PDB file of all heavy atoms in Angstrom:
ATOM      1  N   ASP X 811       0.816  -1.213   0.000  1.00 91.00           N
ATOM      2  CA  ASP X 811       0.000   0.000   0.000  1.00 91.00           C
ATOM      3  C   ASP X 811       0.857   1.274   0.000  1.00 91.00           C
ATOM      4  O   ASP X 811       0.608   2.209   0.774  1.00 91.00           O
ATOM      5  CB  ASP X 811      -0.966   0.015   1.190  1.00 91.00           C
ATOM      6  CG  ASP X 811      -1.996  -1.089   1.079  1.00 91.00           C
ATOM      7  OD1 ASP X 811      -2.390  -1.402  -0.071  1.00 91.00           O
ATOM      8  OD2 ASP X 811      -2.394  -1.654   2.115  1.00 91.00           O
ATOM      9  N   PHE X 812       1.905   1.279  -0.837  1.00 88.00           N
ATOM     10  CA  PHE X 812       2.783   2.440  -1.043  1.00 88.00           C
ATOM     11  C   PHE X 812       3.433   2.921   0.258  1.00 88.00           C
ATOM     12  O   PHE X 812       3.555   4.108   0.521  1.00 88.00           O
ATOM     13  CB  PHE X 812       2.033   3.582  -1.741  1.00 88.00           C
ATOM     14  CG  PHE X 812       1.537   3.174  -3.099  1.00 88.00           C
ATOM     15  CD1 PHE X 812       0.221   2.744  -3.270  1.00 88.00           C
ATOM     16  CD2 PHE X 812       2.379   3.188  -4.191  1.00 88.00           C
ATOM     17  CE1 PHE X 812      -0.230   2.349  -4.515  1.00 88.00           C
ATOM     18  CE2 PHE X 812       1.932   2.799  -5.434  1.00 88.00           C
ATOM     19  CZ  PHE X 812       0.627   2.371  -5.594  1.00 88.00           C
ATOM     20  N   ASN X 813       3.872   1.973   1.045  1.00 89.00           N
ATOM     21  CA  ASN X 813       4.568   2.256   2.297  1.00 89.00           C
ATOM     22  C   ASN X 813       6.071   2.201   2.038  1.00 89.00           C
ATOM     23  O   ASN X 813       6.603   1.148   1.667  1.00 89.00           O
ATOM     24  CB  ASN X 813       4.151   1.240   3.367  1.00 89.00           C
ATOM     25  CG  ASN X 813       4.701   1.592   4.721  1.00 89.00           C
ATOM     26  OD1 ASN X 813       5.379   2.601   4.889  1.00 89.00           O
ATOM     27  ND2 ASN X 813       4.395   0.746   5.697  1.00 89.00           N
ATOM     28  N   ASP X 814       6.775   3.331   2.256  1.00 88.00           N
ATOM     29  CA  ASP X 814       8.215   3.387   1.971  1.00 88.00           C
ATOM     30  C   ASP X 814       9.037   2.564   2.949  1.00 88.00           C
ATOM     31  O   ASP X 814      10.085   2.027   2.581  1.00 88.00           O
ATOM     32  CB  ASP X 814       8.708   4.838   2.005  1.00 88.00           C
ATOM     33  CG  ASP X 814       8.285   5.603   0.768  1.00 88.00           C
ATOM     34  OD1 ASP X 814       7.906   4.952  -0.218  1.00 88.00           O
ATOM     35  OD2 ASP X 814       8.360   6.852   0.779  1.00 88.00           O
ATOM     36  N   THR X 815       8.601   2.458   4.186  1.00 91.00           N
ATOM     37  CA  THR X 815       9.413   1.737   5.180  1.00 91.00           C
ATOM     38  C   THR X 815       9.457   0.240   4.885  1.00 91.00           C
ATOM     39  O   THR X 815      10.484  -0.399   5.121  1.00 91.00           O
ATOM     40  CB  THR X 815       8.844   1.970   6.596  1.00 91.00           C
ATOM     41  OG1 THR X 815       7.472   1.575   6.623  1.00 91.00           O
ATOM     42  CG2 THR X 815       8.978   3.439   6.996  1.00 91.00           C
ATOM     43  N   ALA X 816       8.403  -0.308   4.348  1.00 92.00           N
ATOM     44  CA  ALA X 816       8.388  -1.736   4.035  1.00 92.00           C
ATOM     45  C   ALA X 816       9.230  -2.048   2.796  1.00 92.00           C
ATOM     46  O   ALA X 816       9.726  -3.162   2.648  1.00 92.00           O
ATOM     47  CB  ALA X 816       6.956  -2.220   3.833  1.00 92.00           C
ATOM     48  N   CYS X 817       9.412  -1.065   1.937  1.00 92.00           N
ATOM     49  CA  CYS X 817      10.153  -1.274   0.679  1.00 92.00           C
ATOM     50  C   CYS X 817      11.494  -0.537   0.673  1.00 92.00           C
ATOM     51  O   CYS X 817      11.991  -0.153  -0.387  1.00 92.00           O
ATOM     52  CB  CYS X 817       9.309  -0.806  -0.490  1.00 92.00           C
ATOM     53  SG  CYS X 817       7.737  -1.656  -0.633  1.00 92.00           S
ATOM     54  N   ALA X 818      12.083  -0.344   1.819  1.00 94.00           N
ATOM     55  CA  ALA X 818      13.328   0.428   1.920  1.00 94.00           C
ATOM     56  C   ALA X 818      14.468  -0.223   1.134  1.00 94.00           C
ATOM     57  O   ALA X 818      15.267   0.471   0.486  1.00 94.00           O
ATOM     58  CB  ALA X 818      13.717   0.607   3.380  1.00 94.00           C
ATOM     59  N   GLU X 819      14.552  -1.550   1.187  1.00 94.00           N
ATOM     60  CA  GLU X 819      15.638  -2.247   0.477  1.00 94.00           C
ATOM     61  C   GLU X 819      15.504  -2.084  -1.045  1.00 94.00           C
ATOM     62  O   GLU X 819      16.489  -1.831  -1.736  1.00 94.00           O
ATOM     63  CB  GLU X 819      15.619  -3.731   0.860  1.00 94.00           C
ATOM     64  CG  GLU X 819      16.713  -4.545   0.218  1.00 94.00           C
ATOM     65  CD  GLU X 819      18.114  -4.142   0.686  1.00 94.00           C
ATOM     66  OE1 GLU X 819      18.261  -3.585   1.793  1.00 94.00           O
ATOM     67  OE2 GLU X 819      19.058  -4.382  -0.082  1.00 94.00           O
ATOM     68  N   GLU X 820      14.307  -2.210  -1.569  1.00 93.00           N
ATOM     69  CA  GLU X 820      14.092  -2.050  -3.007  1.00 93.00           C
ATOM     70  C   GLU X 820      14.355  -0.612  -3.457  1.00 93.00           C
ATOM     71  O   GLU X 820      14.927  -0.386  -4.527  1.00 93.00           O
ATOM     72  CB  GLU X 820      12.662  -2.463  -3.387  1.00 93.00           C
ATOM     73  CG  GLU X 820      12.416  -3.947  -3.367  1.00 93.00           C
ATOM     74  CD  GLU X 820      12.142  -4.493  -1.972  1.00 93.00           C
ATOM     75  OE1 GLU X 820      12.131  -3.697  -1.013  1.00 93.00           O
ATOM     76  OE2 GLU X 820      11.959  -5.707  -1.846  1.00 93.00           O
ATOM     77  N   ILE X 821      13.952   0.348  -2.636  1.00 94.00           N
ATOM     78  CA  ILE X 821      14.202   1.750  -2.974  1.00 94.00           C
ATOM     79  C   ILE X 821      15.701   2.029  -2.994  1.00 94.00           C
ATOM     80  O   ILE X 821      16.218   2.694  -3.892  1.00 94.00           O
ATOM     81  CB  ILE X 821      13.474   2.673  -1.969  1.00 94.00           C
ATOM     82  CG1 ILE X 821      11.963   2.533  -2.133  1.00 94.00           C
ATOM     83  CG2 ILE X 821      13.893   4.115  -2.162  1.00 94.00           C
ATOM     84  CD1 ILE X 821      11.157   3.222  -1.054  1.00 94.00           C
ATOM     85  N   ARG X 822      16.430   1.474  -2.007  1.00 95.00           N
ATOM     86  CA  ARG X 822      17.878   1.675  -1.966  1.00 95.00           C
ATOM     87  C   ARG X 822      18.548   1.049  -3.191  1.00 95.00           C
ATOM     88  O   ARG X 822      19.443   1.651  -3.796  1.00 95.00           O
ATOM     89  CB  ARG X 822      18.455   1.078  -0.675  1.00 95.00           C
ATOM     90  CG  ARG X 822      19.950   1.391  -0.484  1.00 95.00           C
ATOM     91  CD  ARG X 822      20.567   0.585   0.655  1.00 95.00           C
ATOM     92  NE  ARG X 822      20.416  -0.854   0.479  1.00 95.00           N
ATOM     93  CZ  ARG X 822      21.144  -1.596  -0.382  1.00 95.00           C
ATOM     94  NH1 ARG X 822      22.032  -1.024  -1.168  1.00 95.00           N
ATOM     95  NH2 ARG X 822      20.951  -2.896  -0.474  1.00 95.00           N
ATOM     96  N   MET X 823      18.098  -0.151  -3.578  1.00 95.00           N
ATOM     97  CA  MET X 823      18.676  -0.802  -4.762  1.00 95.00           C
ATOM     98  C   MET X 823      18.421   0.025  -6.018  1.00 95.00           C
ATOM     99  O   MET X 823      19.307   0.164  -6.872  1.00 95.00           O
ATOM    100  CB  MET X 823      18.089  -2.217  -4.936  1.00 95.00           C
ATOM    101  CG  MET X 823      18.595  -3.214  -3.921  1.00 95.00           C
ATOM    102  SD  MET X 823      17.779  -4.821  -4.007  1.00 95.00           S
ATOM    103  CE  MET X 823      17.877  -5.201  -5.719  1.00 95.00           C
ATOM    104  N   PHE X 824      17.232   0.606  -6.128  1.00 95.00           N
ATOM    105  CA  PHE X 824      16.909   1.447  -7.287  1.00 95.00           C
ATOM    106  C   PHE X 824      17.790   2.697  -7.322  1.00 95.00           C
ATOM    107  O   PHE X 824      18.353   3.045  -8.356  1.00 95.00           O
ATOM    108  CB  PHE X 824      15.429   1.826  -7.264  1.00 95.00           C
ATOM    109  CG  PHE X 824      15.048   2.789  -8.349  1.00 95.00           C
ATOM    110  CD1 PHE X 824      15.061   2.404  -9.679  1.00 95.00           C
ATOM    111  CD2 PHE X 824      14.685   4.093  -8.052  1.00 95.00           C
ATOM    112  CE1 PHE X 824      14.724   3.288 -10.685  1.00 95.00           C
ATOM    113  CE2 PHE X 824      14.339   4.989  -9.048  1.00 95.00           C
ATOM    114  CZ  PHE X 824      14.360   4.583 -10.372  1.00 95.00           C
ATOM    115  N   TYR X 825      17.928   3.372  -6.201  1.00 96.00           N
ATOM    116  CA  TYR X 825      18.767   4.577  -6.166  1.00 96.00           C
ATOM    117  C   TYR X 825      20.234   4.254  -6.428  1.00 96.00           C
ATOM    118  O   TYR X 825      20.948   5.038  -7.067  1.00 96.00           O
ATOM    119  CB  TYR X 825      18.601   5.311  -4.836  1.00 96.00           C
ATOM    120  CG  TYR X 825      17.354   6.144  -4.762  1.00 96.00           C
ATOM    121  CD1 TYR X 825      16.518   6.069  -3.660  1.00 96.00           C
ATOM    122  CD2 TYR X 825      16.997   6.997  -5.791  1.00 96.00           C
ATOM    123  CE1 TYR X 825      15.357   6.818  -3.577  1.00 96.00           C
ATOM    124  CE2 TYR X 825      15.847   7.751  -5.725  1.00 96.00           C
ATOM    125  CZ  TYR X 825      15.032   7.663  -4.623  1.00 96.00           C
ATOM    126  OH  TYR X 825      13.895   8.413  -4.561  1.00 96.00           O
ATOM    127  N   ASP X 826      20.727   3.116  -5.942  1.00 96.00           N
ATOM    128  CA  ASP X 826      22.103   2.711  -6.238  1.00 96.00           C
ATOM    129  C   ASP X 826      22.300   2.490  -7.725  1.00 96.00           C
ATOM    130  O   ASP X 826      23.313   2.886  -8.302  1.00 96.00           O
ATOM    131  CB  ASP X 826      22.463   1.437  -5.466  1.00 96.00           C
ATOM    132  CG  ASP X 826      22.622   1.677  -3.972  1.00 96.00           C
ATOM    133  OD1 ASP X 826      22.718   2.864  -3.568  1.00 96.00           O
ATOM    134  OD2 ASP X 826      22.634   0.679  -3.216  1.00 96.00           O
ATOM    135  N   CYS X 827      21.319   1.847  -8.356  1.00 95.00           N
ATOM    136  CA  CYS X 827      21.408   1.600  -9.801  1.00 95.00           C
ATOM    137  C   CYS X 827      21.413   2.910 -10.583  1.00 95.00           C
ATOM    138  O   CYS X 827      22.173   3.078 -11.529  1.00 95.00           O
ATOM    139  CB  CYS X 827      20.253   0.710 -10.247  1.00 95.00           C
ATOM    140  SG  CYS X 827      20.257   0.344 -12.004  1.00 95.00           S
ATOM    141  N   VAL X 828      20.552   3.851 -10.171  1.00 94.00           N
ATOM    142  CA  VAL X 828      20.491   5.145 -10.856  1.00 94.00           C
ATOM    143  C   VAL X 828      21.813   5.895 -10.706  1.00 94.00           C
ATOM    144  O   VAL X 828      22.326   6.483 -11.669  1.00 94.00           O
ATOM    145  CB  VAL X 828      19.302   5.979 -10.319  1.00 94.00           C
ATOM    146  CG1 VAL X 828      19.379   7.413 -10.809  1.00 94.00           C
ATOM    147  CG2 VAL X 828      18.000   5.351 -10.745  1.00 94.00           C
ATOM    148  N   ALA X 829      22.396   5.871  -9.520  1.00 96.00           N
ATOM    149  CA  ALA X 829      23.671   6.561  -9.292  1.00 96.00           C
ATOM    150  C   ALA X 829      24.777   5.940 -10.131  1.00 96.00           C
ATOM    151  O   ALA X 829      25.618   6.653 -10.708  1.00 96.00           O
ATOM    152  CB  ALA X 829      24.030   6.499  -7.806  1.00 96.00           C
ATOM    153  N   LYS X 830      24.768   4.610 -10.224  1.00 95.00           N
ATOM    154  CA  LYS X 830      25.783   3.924 -11.024  1.00 95.00           C
ATOM    155  C   LYS X 830      25.635   4.277 -12.512  1.00 95.00           C
ATOM    156  O   LYS X 830      26.620   4.528 -13.215  1.00 95.00           O
ATOM    157  CB  LYS X 830      25.654   2.415 -10.831  1.00 95.00           C
ATOM    158  CG  LYS X 830      26.882   1.632 -11.210  1.00 95.00           C
ATOM    159  CD  LYS X 830      26.673   0.142 -10.982  1.00 95.00           C
ATOM    160  CE  LYS X 830      26.404  -0.154  -9.520  1.00 95.00           C
ATOM    161  NZ  LYS X 830      26.211  -1.581  -9.246  1.00 95.00           N
ATOM    162  N   ALA X 831      24.399   4.335 -12.992  1.00 92.00           N
ATOM    163  CA  ALA X 831      24.151   4.673 -14.396  1.00 92.00           C
ATOM    164  C   ALA X 831      24.556   6.114 -14.692  1.00 92.00           C
ATOM    165  O   ALA X 831      25.113   6.410 -15.757  1.00 92.00           O
ATOM    166  CB  ALA X 831      22.688   4.451 -14.743  1.00 92.00           C
ATOM    167  N   GLU X 832      24.294   7.039 -13.757  1.00 92.00           N
ATOM    168  CA  GLU X 832      24.703   8.436 -13.931  1.00 92.00           C
ATOM    169  C   GLU X 832      26.217   8.554 -13.995  1.00 92.00           C
ATOM    170  O   GLU X 832      26.758   9.320 -14.791  1.00 92.00           O
ATOM    171  CB  GLU X 832      24.162   9.297 -12.780  1.00 92.00           C
ATOM    172  CG  GLU X 832      22.716   9.665 -12.937  1.00 92.00           C
ATOM    173  CD  GLU X 832      22.499  10.631 -14.078  1.00 92.00           C
ATOM    174  OE1 GLU X 832      23.272  11.601 -14.209  1.00 92.00           O
ATOM    175  OE2 GLU X 832      21.554  10.403 -14.843  1.00 92.00           O
ATOM    176  N   LYS X 833      26.911   7.801 -13.166  1.00 93.00           N
ATOM    177  CA  LYS X 833      28.376   7.850 -13.167  1.00 93.00           C
ATOM    178  C   LYS X 833      28.929   7.351 -14.504  1.00 93.00           C
ATOM    179  O   LYS X 833      29.831   7.949 -15.073  1.00 93.00           O
ATOM    180  CB  LYS X 833      28.921   7.010 -12.013  1.00 93.00           C
ATOM    181  CG  LYS X 833      30.411   7.086 -11.884  1.00 93.00           C
ATOM    182  CD  LYS X 833      30.915   6.275 -10.714  1.00 93.00           C
ATOM    183  CE  LYS X 833      32.424   6.361 -10.654  1.00 93.00           C
ATOM    184  NZ  LYS X 833      32.994   5.456  -9.658  1.00 93.00           N
ATOM    185  N   VAL X 834      28.359   6.264 -15.012  1.00 90.00           N
ATOM    186  CA  VAL X 834      28.797   5.725 -16.302  1.00 90.00           C
ATOM    187  C   VAL X 834      28.542   6.734 -17.419  1.00 90.00           C
ATOM    188  O   VAL X 834      29.381   6.965 -18.285  1.00 90.00           O
ATOM    189  CB  VAL X 834      28.096   4.380 -16.586  1.00 90.00           C
ATOM    190  CG1 VAL X 834      28.292   3.952 -18.023  1.00 90.00           C
ATOM    191  CG2 VAL X 834      28.597   3.315 -15.632  1.00 90.00           C
ATOM    192  N   ARG X 835      27.378   7.390 -17.384  1.00 85.00           N
ATOM    193  CA  ARG X 835      27.041   8.374 -18.416  1.00 85.00           C
ATOM    194  C   ARG X 835      27.982   9.572 -18.373  1.00 85.00           C
ATOM    195  O   ARG X 835      28.443  10.053 -19.399  1.00 85.00           O
ATOM    196  CB  ARG X 835      25.599   8.831 -18.248  1.00 85.00           C
ATOM    197  CG  ARG X 835      25.103   9.712 -19.373  1.00 85.00           C
ATOM    198  CD  ARG X 835      23.684  10.172 -19.147  1.00 85.00           C
ATOM    199  NE  ARG X 835      23.520  10.952 -17.936  1.00 85.00           N
ATOM    200  CZ  ARG X 835      23.791  12.261 -17.844  1.00 85.00           C
ATOM    201  NH1 ARG X 835      24.230  12.912 -18.881  1.00 85.00           N
ATOM    202  NH2 ARG X 835      23.614  12.895 -16.701  1.00 85.00           N
ATOM    203  N   LYS X 836      28.317  10.041 -17.171  1.00 86.00           N
ATOM    204  CA  LYS X 836      29.242  11.169 -17.051  1.00 86.00           C
ATOM    205  C   LYS X 836      30.635  10.796 -17.535  1.00 86.00           C
ATOM    206  O   LYS X 836      31.320  11.606 -18.157  1.00 86.00           O
ATOM    207  CB  LYS X 836      29.291  11.666 -15.610  1.00 86.00           C
ATOM    208  CG  LYS X 836      28.075  12.460 -15.221  1.00 86.00           C
ATOM    209  CD  LYS X 836      28.194  12.986 -13.812  1.00 86.00           C
ATOM    210  CE  LYS X 836      26.941  13.766 -13.430  1.00 86.00           C
ATOM    211  NZ  LYS X 836      27.009  14.264 -12.045  1.00 86.00           N
ATOM    212  N   ASP X 837      31.078   9.563 -17.234  1.00 85.00           N
ATOM    213  CA  ASP X 837      32.388   9.117 -17.705  1.00 85.00           C
ATOM    214  C   ASP X 837      32.423   9.049 -19.229  1.00 85.00           C
ATOM    215  O   ASP X 837      33.423   9.408 -19.852  1.00 85.00           O
ATOM    216  CB  ASP X 837      32.739   7.756 -17.105  1.00 85.00           C
ATOM    217  CG  ASP X 837      33.039   7.850 -15.614  1.00 85.00           C
ATOM    218  OD1 ASP X 837      33.294   8.976 -15.131  1.00 85.00           O
ATOM    219  OD2 ASP X 837      33.012   6.794 -14.938  1.00 85.00           O
ATOM    220  N   GLN X 838      31.336   8.590 -19.829  1.00 79.00           N
ATOM    221  CA  GLN X 838      31.283   8.534 -21.292  1.00 79.00           C
ATOM    222  C   GLN X 838      31.296   9.927 -21.890  1.00 79.00           C
ATOM    223  O   GLN X 838      31.914  10.155 -22.930  1.00 79.00           O
ATOM    224  CB  GLN X 838      30.040   7.784 -21.750  1.00 79.00           C
ATOM    225  CG  GLN X 838      30.127   6.304 -21.560  1.00 79.00           C
ATOM    226  CD  GLN X 838      28.845   5.595 -21.970  1.00 79.00           C
ATOM    227  OE1 GLN X 838      27.818   6.229 -22.204  1.00 79.00           O
ATOM    228  NE2 GLN X 838      28.898   4.276 -22.049  1.00 79.00           N
ATOM    229  N   ASN X 839      30.632  10.889 -21.244  1.00 73.00           N
ATOM    230  CA  ASN X 839      30.632  12.262 -21.744  1.00 73.00           C
ATOM    231  C   ASN X 839      32.015  12.880 -21.643  1.00 73.00           C
ATOM    232  O   ASN X 839      32.428  13.638 -22.517  1.00 73.00           O
ATOM    233  CB  ASN X 839      29.617  13.121 -20.979  1.00 73.00           C
ATOM    234  CG  ASN X 839      28.201  12.835 -21.406  1.00 73.00           C
ATOM    235  OD1 ASN X 839      27.958  12.233 -22.445  1.00 73.00           O
ATOM    236  ND2 ASN X 839      27.257  13.274 -20.604  1.00 73.00           N
ATOM    237  N   LYS X 840      32.760  12.569 -20.602  1.00 73.00           N
ATOM    238  CA  LYS X 840      34.114  13.103 -20.461  1.00 73.00           C
ATOM    239  C   LYS X 840      35.022  12.540 -21.539  1.00 73.00           C
ATOM    240  O   LYS X 840      35.860  13.239 -22.081  1.00 73.00           O
ATOM    241  CB  LYS X 840      34.679  12.780 -19.079  1.00 73.00           C
ATOM    242  CG  LYS X 840      34.102  13.633 -17.978  1.00 73.00           C
ATOM    243  CD  LYS X 840      34.706  13.265 -16.639  1.00 73.00           C
ATOM    244  CE  LYS X 840      34.073  14.076 -15.526  1.00 73.00           C
ATOM    245  NZ  LYS X 840      34.591  13.687 -14.209  1.00 73.00           N
ATOM    246  N   GLU X 841      34.875  11.256 -21.841  1.00 69.00           N
ATOM    247  CA  GLU X 841      35.707  10.628 -22.865  1.00 69.00           C
ATOM    248  C   GLU X 841      35.396  11.166 -24.256  1.00 69.00           C
ATOM    249  O   GLU X 841      36.289  11.376 -25.059  1.00 69.00           O
ATOM    250  CB  GLU X 841      35.506   9.115 -22.844  1.00 69.00           C
ATOM    251  CG  GLU X 841      36.070   8.437 -21.619  1.00 69.00           C
ATOM    252  CD  GLU X 841      35.733   6.965 -21.576  1.00 69.00           C
ATOM    253  OE1 GLU X 841      35.128   6.466 -22.543  1.00 69.00           O
ATOM    254  OE2 GLU X 841      36.072   6.326 -20.570  1.00 69.00           O
ATOM    255  N   SER X 842      34.120  11.400 -24.541  1.00 64.00           N
ATOM    256  CA  SER X 842      33.741  11.834 -25.883  1.00 64.00           C
ATOM    257  C   SER X 842      33.719  13.350 -26.017  1.00 64.00           C
ATOM    258  O   SER X 842      33.379  13.862 -27.067  1.00 64.00           O
ATOM    259  CB  SER X 842      32.374  11.264 -26.259  1.00 64.00           C
ATOM    260  OG  SER X 842      31.392  11.840 -25.429  1.00 64.00           O
ATOM    261  N   SER X 843      34.077  14.084 -24.955  1.00 58.00           N
ATOM    262  CA  SER X 843      34.043  15.546 -25.050  1.00 58.00           C
ATOM    263  C   SER X 843      35.144  16.073 -25.963  1.00 58.00           C
ATOM    264  O   SER X 843      35.054  17.184 -26.476  1.00 58.00           O
ATOM    265  CB  SER X 843      34.157  16.166 -23.658  1.00 58.00           C
ATOM    266  OG  SER X 843      35.430  15.880 -23.121  1.00 58.00           O
ATOM    267  N   ARG X 844      36.188  15.293 -26.167  1.00 58.00           N
ATOM    268  CA  ARG X 844      37.268  15.734 -27.053  1.00 58.00           C
ATOM    269  C   ARG X 844      36.866  15.644 -28.521  1.00 58.00           C
ATOM    270  O   ARG X 844      37.415  16.330 -29.358  1.00 58.00           O
ATOM    271  CB  ARG X 844      38.505  14.884 -26.806  1.00 58.00           C
ATOM    272  CG  ARG X 844      39.064  15.092 -25.419  1.00 58.00           C
ATOM    273  CD  ARG X 844      40.297  14.271 -25.188  1.00 58.00           C
ATOM    274  NE  ARG X 844      40.675  14.353 -23.786  1.00 58.00           N
ATOM    275  CZ  ARG X 844      41.101  13.338 -23.073  1.00 58.00           C
ATOM    276  NH1 ARG X 844      41.232  12.154 -23.625  1.00 58.00           N
ATOM    277  NH2 ARG X 844      41.415  13.490 -21.809  1.00 58.00           N
ATOM    278  N   GLU X 845      35.939  14.787 -28.821  1.00 63.00           N
ATOM    279  CA  GLU X 845      35.487  14.609 -30.200  1.00 63.00           C
ATOM    280  C   GLU X 845      34.408  15.633 -30.531  1.00 63.00           C
ATOM    281  O   GLU X 845      33.766  16.178 -29.670  1.00 63.00           O
ATOM    282  CB  GLU X 845      34.887  13.216 -30.386  1.00 63.00           C
ATOM    283  CG  GLU X 845      35.774  12.090 -29.972  1.00 63.00           C
ATOM    284  CD  GLU X 845      35.033  10.763 -30.012  1.00 63.00           C
ATOM    285  OE1 GLU X 845      33.821  10.766 -30.275  1.00 63.00           O
ATOM    286  OE2 GLU X 845      35.677   9.751 -29.783  1.00 63.00           O
ATOM    287  N   LEU X 846      34.224  15.864 -31.825  1.00 60.00           N
ATOM    288  CA  LEU X 846      33.089  16.670 -32.269  1.00 60.00           C
ATOM    289  C   LEU X 846      31.948  15.698 -32.519  1.00 60.00           C
ATOM    290  O   LEU X 846      31.814  15.147 -33.601  1.00 60.00           O
ATOM    291  CB  LEU X 846      33.440  17.432 -33.547  1.00 60.00           C
ATOM    292  CG  LEU X 846      34.489  18.510 -33.411  1.00 60.00           C
ATOM    293  CD1 LEU X 846      34.808  19.085 -34.772  1.00 60.00           C
ATOM    294  CD2 LEU X 846      34.017  19.596 -32.480  1.00 60.00           C
TER     295      LEU X 846
END
């Protein structure tokens, strides 16, 4: 019933995945920033 405390582990796993994906995207942008 949309209770955050019962789903804390799933929410943490989702936020970890999002942070990891953002880091990968930023690294790719840094590598390709030298190219046009």
Side-chain angles (χ1 to χ4, degrees):
D811 294 326
F812 299 97
N813 187 1
D814 285 343
T815 56
C817 301
E819 181 65 24
E820 286 81 1
I821 293 171
R822 187 191 57 76
M823 287 174 50
F824 175 68
Y825 281 132
D826 289 346
C827 180
V828 169
K830 199 180 299 181
E832 281 291 316
K833 184 179 179 188
V834 168
R835 187 182 60 82
K836 285 183 181 178
D837 289 343
Q838 286 177 349
N839 284 344
K840 285 180 183 177
E841 291 175 4
S842 67
S843 66
R844 295 181 188 139
E845 306 172 355
L846 293 175

